[in-house]
Amino acid sequence: MNLFGITDSRATLLGTRSECPRCRSIPRISRGLCLSCLLRTGAAEEGHSGPEEFQAALDVISVPDLHWRLGNYEILEEIGRGGMGVIYRARQRHSRRIVALKRVLSYHADSHDTLARFRREAEAAASLDHPNILPIYEVGESEEGVPYFSMKYASGGSLQEVGPALRDDPREIVGLMAKVTRAVQYAHQQGILHRDLKPGNILLDGRGNPLICDFGLAKWLDASSNLTRTLTIFGTPGFIAPEQAAGPSAELNRAADIYSLGAIFFDLLAGRPPFLGEHALAVIHQAAEQPAPRLRSVVRGADRDLETICARCLEREPATRYATAADLAEDLERFLEGRPIIARPVSLPVTAWRWARRNPGLAGTVAACLILGTLAAGRQFQSRRLTAAVEKEARAAHSVAVLPFLNLDTARPDEAFTATVAQSLETQLLPFGPARITLVTKANRYWAGTASSDDLKEANRSVNARTVLTGSTRHRDGKLRVSVRLLSAANGDPLLTQSFVLDQGKAAGPDSLRDMAGPVYSILEAGDWSRMTTQSRDPGWRDPRAREFIVSGRQLMFRDTAEDMDRSLRCLERAIELQPKSALAHAYLAATASGRIHFSWDAQLLARAEREAKQALQLEPELAEGHRALAGVYYQTGNYTEAVEEQLRAVETVGPEELVASFLGTTFGKLGQPARALGWLELARHWASRPGDYDGLIGDRWTELGDDERAEAAYARSRELRPENTEGWVGLCHLRLLQGDTVAARQLWHENESAALRADPSAEAMKAQIEFFNRNYGVAEQLYQALAARDLNKGSTGSLSYESALGRLQQLTGDETAGRATLEKARVTEQASPAGAQTAEAHYRLAAIESSLGEIAPALDRLQAAITAGWSDVRSPRLDPRFDAIAQAPRFTKILSNRARELAELRRQASQSD
């Protein structure tokens, strides 16, 4: 029997077993006796040879061999085998029901594509419930993890086997094909394309009813998969459509299955498929290049209607075949009922003339009515044109382009969720009136959740909608948080924002946007959106005098000098005096106060920044500027987790933009999540006003992940696009140092020495670190002393303070007392840091100091704390002289090795999504 396109084979099932000399099946009883033949012989001797008696006999047999069991089934006999799987006749152990059982061949169990195709078959068939589609009973896995599924056992064979016996009865063939076609239409309605219809994949049950099987090549019509995109030709030559043989599977539609139905119909009527050839390629070539032969050229005397039906199915152009399988089924049923088929209807003039001859009086009346009706139809046609024009205009006024939602966990588009939201919105808007909802499917990944007016205009160019719907998704506290934003397509102004929470794993259904549909339609109805933005509602923004101070304060804040920030504070304080309930003024004051600390630390100013940010959020809980300001405060205090949360709240409210994406990329780096940081830094690079601004940071993250090739590419891009900046070549110096090539690092620094002297202290600090890690102690000490004299007490990579380096160098050059004193001072400084001692950098610096002081156990504990907090630079400790005291400890190696393995997995994930 040929099930699921698997050719018969008599290979052994498990191990090496001999074959039955009579039926060539595998013996199941000692001395070479075949279970099947034994039962048949016994039944025949008693005069009972029917399938019912044979099955009843099988039901009472117990198979003792445990190797012939799979899950809850006892294997009775192998009935088919192919390149992917094997099929057995089996009995369910408790119900005693006889089933067909299919499993993947053992040597294919590790093949991703084979398992994907096998699961596709089970999933597709199990989703269909039709009397003429072979039902799936159970899907499971063996103890070895090999998947299998059970299905109805079709005892009547396949159309391939019984086809010759049907050839003399065309009406029976038509009846069978009508049922098969209705089943195919049902599968199409469920969104599934079979793609491998052929006689061997249509089985017959004990009553002769057809059952479609083998959905291994099935394709969901509204989805795509990597499995289907990797191959270009599916199905069986001779029964596949020309476009299936010649083009990518992603271009197939329902017409491909209709062609296959026509080929099966032709094969049953003619005893051969439409095309024949010496080999499969010849058959495929014929189908792609030549029209199918006429049925009557192969079978003399074949009915003309049947020839017309076959020809219509086998048209080379998909658009000229039957539009649906239902149309084909109707023609087959019309043939059985003796009615004219649709594929070749009697012409209208002939039909009318025949009817008029039979009914002359009534024909005259009808003619008069037709004349009057024509006049009325003309008026109605004009009225409908006007109605259609009005409706088209209304749909344009109520049009929404749905852009991909941004998955905040990955900084990538959430396409599946976006499609669900679009469908939900379309359903919920129906009761309110006409609307046009268009899902933008050909999306740039940077359009997801965007707040960029340029991106919105580009995405909306082909759709030309009046508004844009987008948003974000993320997982938090076991829930899925969803933020939906409706924006003006003209300028990106936010018109409506709404958030809701779903249970983990629960998809957005049609009711998800129920509460949002009414407000959305009201906005679409409105002509003026100028008063709908958050700014327009703020009392400080509505007051002309206060607004001037807010605008001036915001502009001064971005000039990034201490003097301008002080002036910004005064402007915003004045705005608050005029309008104390202005959330915008409080938020901008908080952001300015937090930024001012970069120039000189002021704990009181930082505390004020936190109060002002919380006051802004108390006045306007969803104010993005308030969340951003509070995120800046948390970042300054080293509370990176809360800083991320506040920035994500801002993204949920107004969408991502350059500075927010940059902040999140930097903060995730601090949290030891370089792979997640990369996603946000790539978004920041997309929106950057100057090319090359973020490539240095991207290179740093790839360095932490250990992908030196990608790191070098990012640093090279930074050097090419922003040669005046130091991030590119300083990052490359650091990479060379971590690779153990201090000569190359030193040479690279000297090549850029003139730029380094004009640049920020990190460039000079890199020179000192190169000599320090190269254990050139005298030169390193002189360089660190010069840096410390200039009060530039910052490490070039966030891990090496000048004070701790000098203390260790004093020890190494023989002055142990002075060295310990300097190190103790460095410890006090570190512990008194305003950001606290709980960040990964703080733990790492303290671990280096404790190691230098000979405090072995505390240093190892502190290093572990740094790793736990997210420290990712696992190569530096092996080179840093401050860790000499613990470098030989087994725990030191274990700590760094464990973190290196974690980073390797993160690197693999980041590379796959890059």
Side-chain angles (χ1 to χ4, degrees):
M1 181 176 295
N2 190 331
L3 292 171
F4 295 79
I6 299 178
T7 57
D8 285 344
S9 171
R10 305 304 173 183
T12 56
L13 176 63
L14 295 171
T16 302
R17 298 176 182 266
S18 59
E19 297 178 343
C20 174
R22 177 180 300 178
C23 68
R24 297 187 61 79
S25 66
I26 301 170
R28 295 296 300 117
I29 301 178
S30 62
R31 299 184 182 179
L33 293 178
C34 169
L35 175 63
S36 176
C37 290
L38 182 64
L39 289 176
R40 291 181 187 275
T41 302
E45 289 177 354
E46 295 179 7
H48 304 291
S49 58
E52 294 80 3
E53 288 84 356
F54 179 62
Q55 181 165 324
L58 289 178
D59 287 345
V60 300
I61 299 250
S62 175
V63 181
D65 188 350
L66 296 179
H67 293 289
W68 284 74
R69 291 179 181 171
L70 190 60
N72 194 35
Y73 300 89
E74 296 173 345
I75 307 302
L76 300 177
E77 160 178 51
E78 177 179 323
I79 55 178
R81 179 183 290 254
M84 179 185 75
V86 60
I87 301 176
Y88 310 115
R89 182 164 52 237
R91 180 175 54 244
Q92 197 168 18
R93 294 173 61 190
H94 299 299
S95 68
R96 315 300 291 177
R97 175 170 57 184
I98 300 299
V99 300
L101 187 71
K102 181 171 183 178
R103 72 171 179 87
V104 171
L105 290 168
S106 300
Y107 56 82
H108 278 317
D110 294 329
S111 169
H112 174 75
D113 286 347
T114 300
L115 293 179
R117 175 176 165 184
F118 190 89
R119 294 189 181 99
R120 172 186 301 277
E121 175 178 359
E123 183 180 356
S127 67
L128 301 175
D129 182 13
H130 191 276
N132 296 115
I133 294 178
L134 191 72
I136 296 293
Y137 293 149
E138 180 185 6
V139 180
E141 286 190 358
S142 68
E143 295 179 356
E144 295 79 16
V146 177
Y148 67 86
F149 59 86
S150 63
M151 56 213 148
K152 181 176 181 179
Y153 176 69
S155 60
S158 69
L159 285 184
Q160 182 178 357
E161 297 165 342
V162 304
L166 299 174
R167 194 159 303 131
D168 294 332
D169 192 348
R171 291 186 60 82
E172 184 174 356
I173 292 174
V174 174
L176 282 170
M177 289 304 300
K179 293 179 181 180
V180 170
T181 305
R182 288 294 182 189
V184 171
Q185 172 65 16
Y186 168 81
H188 288 177
Q189 289 174 340
Q190 306 307 308
I192 294 178
L193 188 69
H194 191 286
R195 298 196 300 175
D196 194 21
L197 290 169
K198 58 184 178 181
N201 284 344
I202 300 174
L203 309 180
L204 300 174
D205 63 16
R207 297 181 180 179
N209 291 315
L211 298 168
I212 300 176
C213 66
D214 196 355
F215 283 81
L217 299 183
K219 175 180 182 291
W220 274 257
L221 292 168
D222 58 349
S224 62
S225 74
N226 291 332
L227 178 64
T228 60
R229 286 197 295 265
T230 55
L231 302 177
T232 57
I233 296 178
F234 280 106
T236 303
F239 296 93
I240 58 174
E243 67 269 22
Q244 189 171 355
S249 62
E251 298 176 359
L252 299 182
N253 56 31
R254 297 170 176 85
D257 278 352
I258 292 172
Y259 184 99
S260 298
L261 289 170
I264 295 171
F265 194 28
F266 189 103
D267 180 79
L268 292 175
L269 293 169
R272 46 153 283 192
F275 296 98
L276 298 173
E278 296 179 356
H279 46 74
L281 290 178
V283 175
I284 291 172
H285 179 75
Q286 288 183 58
E289 300 295 333
Q290 302 175 15
R294 290 285 178 176
L295 177 64
R296 285 153 58 95
S297 68
V298 179
V299 181
R300 294 183 179 275
D303 189 281
R304 187 177 296 275
D305 282 350
L306 298 184
E307 179 184 68
T308 302
I309 293 172
C310 285
R312 183 72 175 272
C313 293
L314 297 173
E315 291 285 354
R316 282 198 299 169
E317 293 299 325
T320 58
R321 300 172 199 153
Y322 284 99
T324 65
D327 292 340
L328 170 58
E330 184 175 352
D331 255 2
L332 293 171
E333 291 163 358
R334 281 173 172 268
F335 175 84
L336 291 174
E337 296 166 4
R339 293 186 293 152
I341 63 173
I342 299 172
R344 192 190 61 186
V346 178
S347 64
L348 182 61
V350 173
T351 302
W353 173 251
R354 291 175 180 175
W355 180 83
R357 289 182 62 185
R358 294 194 302 269
N359 305 279
L362 186 58
T365 303
V366 170
C369 292
L370 284 175
I371 294 173
L372 295 175
T374 301
L375 296 175
R379 283 195 168 190
Q380 188 176 14
F381 177 73
Q382 185 67 20
S383 175
R384 286 182 178 179
R385 287 185 62 185
L386 292 174
T387 302
V390 171
E391 184 175 352
K392 182 178 180 180
E393 185 176 347
R395 289 182 179 277
H398 301 80
S399 55
V400 183
V402 181
L403 290 190
F405 277 50
L406 179 65
N407 186 327
L408 301 183
D409 298 327
T410 63
R412 297 261 191 266
D414 194 337
E415 296 175 353
F417 186 86
T418 306
T420 304
V421 169
Q423 180 182 3
S424 177
L425 180 64
E426 187 171 26
T427 301
Q428 297 302 333
L429 287 180
L430 283 176
F432 293 92
R436 190 183 79 215
I437 311 300
T438 306
L439 177 62
V440 180
T441 53
K442 295 183 178 179
N444 185 314
R445 61 164 286 203
Y446 300 106
W447 294 349
T450 183
S452 165
S453 59
D454 291 338
D455 284 346
L456 291 176
K457 290 177 182 178
E458 183 180 356
N460 191 39
R461 184 173 293 122
S462 61
V463 178
N464 197 27
R466 188 170 175 231
T467 59
V468 171
L469 185 82
T470 186
S472 61
T473 63
R474 66 179 172 122
H475 292 87
R476 178 173 171 80
D477 300 328
K479 305 284 186 179
L480 178 66
R481 288 176 53 89
V482 180
S483 174
V484 182
R485 295 184 293 115
L486 185 69
L487 311 172
S488 166
N491 53 24
D493 283 345
L495 306 175
L496 180 66
T497 300
Q498 182 169 324
S499 299
F500 54 91
V501 178
L502 298 174
D503 291 335
Q504 186 83 4
K506 179 181 179 182
D511 295 335
S512 299
L513 299 182
R514 184 182 298 278
D515 296 335
M516 199 172 181
V520 166
Y521 204 83
S522 298
I523 291 172
L524 296 175
E525 288 269 78
D528 182 13
W529 293 338
S530 60
R531 297 184 177 275
M532 293 184 180
T533 63
T534 302
Q535 284 186 341
S536 66
R537 299 194 303 267
D538 188 89
W541 200 257
R542 293 201 303 266
D543 184 331
R545 293 184 62 201
R547 180 175 180 175
E548 289 179 347
F549 284 110
I550 292 175
V551 172
S552 179
R554 185 173 60 181
Q555 291 175 344
L556 290 167
M557 174 181 66
F558 286 114
R559 292 186 181 178
D560 207 24
T561 67
E563 295 76 10
D564 284 331
M565 284 194 167
D566 289 337
R567 292 167 59 198
S568 173
L569 289 172
R570 290 192 292 271
C571 286
L572 293 167
E573 288 168 350
R574 180 63 178 142
I576 292 174
E577 289 177 7
L578 293 171
Q579 288 294 338
K581 293 187 177 180
S582 171
L584 281 173
H586 285 287
Y588 288 134
L589 179 58
T592 304
S594 176
R596 178 65 176 81
I597 297 171
H598 285 291
F599 298 96
S600 60
W601 180 260
D602 187 334
Q604 293 183 347
L605 189 59
L606 185 62
R608 183 184 181 188
E610 184 173 2
R611 290 196 303 273
E612 294 292 341
K614 290 181 177 179
Q615 178 66 25
L617 292 174
Q618 185 176 353
L619 293 168
E620 187 71 46
E622 299 302 322
L623 183 67
E625 290 83 351
H627 288 295
R628 291 172 184 168
L630 191 56
V633 173
Y634 287 143
Y635 186 91
Q636 292 283 7
T637 59
N639 191 349
Y640 301 132
T641 301
E642 289 301 321
V644 165
E645 175 61 23
E646 292 301 321
Q647 281 287 16
L648 291 179
R649 291 289 299 274
V651 172
E652 289 175 333
T653 304
V654 298
E657 47 87 25
E658 178 187 353
L659 294 180
V660 173
S662 171
F663 181 97
L664 285 167
T666 302
T667 311
F668 279 124
K670 295 284 187 183
L671 286 169
Q673 301 178 39
R676 194 171 180 185
L678 279 170
W680 289 103
L681 290 173
E682 288 167 1
L683 290 178
R685 179 169 63 183
H686 168 71
W687 291 309
S689 55
R690 297 176 300 181
D693 269 354
Y694 298 100
D695 288 286
L697 291 174
I698 290 173
D700 292 342
R701 300 292 80 79
W702 283 119
T703 297
E704 291 171 355
L705 288 169
D707 194 327
D708 292 356
E709 183 178 349
R710 280 188 169 90
E712 288 199 32
Y715 291 139
R717 178 181 166 87
S718 177
R719 295 177 68 187
E720 291 173 356
L721 297 176
R722 298 299 306 279
E724 74 279 11
N725 286 353
T726 63
E727 288 89 345
W729 67 266
V730 168
L732 193 55
C733 273
H734 184 232
L735 179 60
R736 293 286 179 262
L737 191 60
L738 295 180
Q739 292 171 337
D741 193 349
T742 54
V743 174
R746 187 184 292 117
Q747 180 180 353
L748 185 60
W749 194 94
H750 285 300
E751 289 173 356
N752 295 273
E753 184 171 4
S754 59
L757 296 176
R758 300 192 305 269
D760 60 272
S762 66
E764 296 183 65
M766 177 53 65
K767 181 179 182 181
Q769 187 176 2
I770 291 171
E771 302 304 330
F772 187 38
F773 279 18
N774 196 36
R775 300 182 181 270
N776 193 354
Y777 301 137
V779 176
E781 187 172 10
Q782 292 176 4
L783 292 171
Y784 278 120
Q785 285 174 346
L787 288 168
R790 294 168 57 191
D791 195 27
L792 302 173
N793 192 27
K794 293 182 180 179
S796 61
T797 62
S799 63
L800 210 163
S801 68
Y802 307 143
E803 219 170 24
S804 67
L806 282 171
R808 179 58 179 151
L809 285 166
Q810 287 169 340
Q811 288 180 317
L812 292 168
T813 54
D815 195 344
E816 179 67 25
T817 301
R820 294 187 69 85
T822 304
L823 288 166
E824 290 289 359
K825 182 181 177 183
R827 173 151 56 183
V828 172
T829 301
E830 193 63 52
Q831 291 173 337
S833 170
Q838 299 307 310
T839 65
E841 288 180 357
H843 282 303
Y844 185 86
R845 289 175 176 173
L846 286 168
I849 293 170
E850 290 165 348
S851 174
S852 299
L853 291 171
E855 300 173 3
I856 306 302
L860 290 169
D861 291 341
R862 188 74 69 173
L863 180 61
Q864 180 62 66
I867 296 295
T868 302
W871 185 256
S872 300
D873 185 3
V874 295
R875 288 186 275 188
S876 286
R878 304 180 191 277
L879 302 171
D880 193 336
R882 296 177 300 170
F883 287 95
D884 286 352
I886 62 173
Q888 302 304 317
R891 187 182 173 195
F892 175 84
T893 302
K894 182 178 180 181
I895 290 172
L896 297 181
S897 298
N898 289 342
R899 181 55 172 162
R901 282 193 293 272
E902 294 174 359
L903 292 170
E905 175 59 21
L906 292 175
R907 178 173 68 248
R908 184 188 65 79
Q909 296 173 6
S911 298
Q912 290 178 346
S913 61
D914 185 34

